[in-house]
Amino acid sequence: MRRFALDDEQEELLREWQKNHDCKFRRDAGYRDGGTFGGIDTFTFIPTSVEMVTLVKCACGAELDLSPEHIFFEKLKRKDNSK
């Protein structure tokens, strides 16, 4: 059986994005306004031979890439921009 899960860093980035992502499906503090069963965020997990590609898509169309490689390069970009 395959298990799809977010690690602590991915979870933190997701919560930050949900809180700050401004769209018609979000209310204060990132809570989703999607009815009884939600369905505002769609999670896509793609296992590869190198890593687990993890994408989150909001109902408005905005996407967040939580793949380890993407997070690594975003950190490098921020580090270079802070110099």
Side-chain angles (χ1 to χ4, degrees):
M1 177 170 78
R2 187 164 289 269
R3 180 172 175 246
F4 299 101
L6 301 177
D7 64 25
D8 291 340
E9 183 178 30
Q10 290 171 316
E11 183 79 24
E12 182 180 321
L13 291 170
L14 173 64
R15 297 296 173 223
E16 180 183 318
W17 180 73
Q18 288 174 328
K19 185 176 180 179
N20 297 316
H21 174 63
D22 186 28
C23 79
K24 66 182 181 180
F25 299 105
R26 305 276 176 198
R27 296 185 302 188
D28 294 337
Y31 292 109
R32 297 171 299 283
D33 190 13
T36 307
F37 295 105
I40 300 304
D41 295 324
T42 301
F43 291 79
T44 304
F45 297 93
I46 306 168
T48 70
S49 60
V50 179
E51 68 177 14
M52 178 71 71
V53 175
T54 306
L55 304 170
V56 182
K57 185 173 184 177
C58 178
C60 75
E63 289 186 347
L64 174 65
D65 188 342
L66 292 174
S67 304
E69 181 179 337
H70 180 78
I71 292 171
F72 173 78
F73 284 113
E74 282 299 313
K75 285 180 182 177
L76 280 181
K77 219 186 296 183
R78 285 186 212 144
K79 185 178 177 183
D80 288 342
N81 289 335
S82 67
K83 290 181 180 179

